[in-house]
Amino acid sequence: MAPQKLKIACAGLGRMGARHALNLLSRTPRAELVATFTPDAKEVDWARRELEPSGVTIYTNYDEMLKHPGLQAVLIATVTTAHAEEAIKAINADKHVLCEKPLSTSVEVSQSVVDAANRKPHLKVMCGFSRRFDASYRDAHDRMEAGSIGRPSVFRSQTCDRLDKTGFFVAYAEFSGGIFVDCNIHDIDLALWFLGQDSVVKSVAAAGVCAVQPELRRHADVDNGVGVVEFWGGKLAYFYSSRMMAAGQHDMTEIVGTEGKLVVNGNPTGSLVEMHEPTGVRREIPHDYWGRFQDAFVTEANEFTAACLDGTKLPLKLSGAVQAVQIGRALQESLNSGQKIYFDETGRRIEQARL
């Protein structure tokens, strides 16, 4: 008897969705990509060339895709504004769901996905925070858990994208929720993982500049942002996001403890090759996010598939996705208001008296 495979569909075939689809097709042995959805004509053409020959059915209507015979799960990689609605529809149709981050740019809408999932506890519903599946981050977390750096107290992390001169991210900013929700959401999730998922925010403050794309101001956004989050219990997180790196993608993290420090990707490199040239010695680094984390996405797809087929526990809680959006939204608000935001020990926002 052939081993059971998870029949899964991929919704969205943009840059990220196409990569997910190819991973499911060729690098996730226990999954079978049976269907895709996209309303975009160019993406349909791509799917006809790259996916249809392997037996994948292409849909231009999401609701029709959910009715595909035998479909068990959906990977959602559409535009952020569609994530929550499509996730809830899939849950209501009794499908497992792996949704790209964030669930929504709204805390309330993100919570509605969690509520829908809670009504169907037999389903596996996960938000795709890819860095949790990266081998280096997992190694660092294991070392921290083993006590190698004492008590983790300060967390510093960054997401720095290579400059896209096409201006894509300017148009995207209208829907992204802002740089802290879009870029730093990964770093925020990591902070909650390393400092403790039950960490309660005490204060939030942020600042930023439009160094290369002043057009971002019309979307109340920036191309470089810095955020500081203080947690109750004496822990601190510092986040930096940028969309103008010249050399390539540089996403890195430091976890500072009472007895040492762990650094992930402090000196990025695309390979072990060094170029020794008349002007000096250099090395290339990954050009984009996928170049740095492509293996993590493969691990993510395989572990999600295994959880669906075997009924095992997912590696992260869905409620954490709501926490991350809540912190990201607060940072974005602080960025635009210029005000520090405070919370009590239960996580409820409090107003500080102004002098």
Side-chain angles (χ1 to χ4, degrees), residues 17-40:
R19 289 163 171 168
H20 276 301
L22 292 175
N23 274 349
L24 291 170
L25 194 64
S26 61
R27 302 184 70 183
T28 315
R30 299 184 70 191
E32 180 185 357
L33 181 65
V34 297
T36 63
F37 155 74
T38 176
D40 185 278

Side-chain angles (χ1 to χ4, degrees), residues 120-170:
K120 297 213 172 182
H122 63 288
L123 295 178
K124 302 297 181 181
V125 182
M126 187 173 83
C127 187
F129 286 111
S130 52
R131 292 186 204 180
R132 292 214 189 195
F133 299 89
D134 177 70
S136 295
Y137 276 105
R138 286 187 165 183
D139 184 15
H141 193 269
D142 288 345
R143 291 174 185 274
M144 183 198 73
E145 289 284 278
S148 67
I149 61 169
R151 186 178 69 257
S153 302
V154 178
F155 182 89
R156 187 169 76 88
S157 194
Q158 68 181 45
T159 296
C160 293
D161 296 342
R162 188 175 189 175
L163 175 62
D164 180 351
K165 295 182 180 179
T166 68
F168 164 79
F169 67 87
V170 178

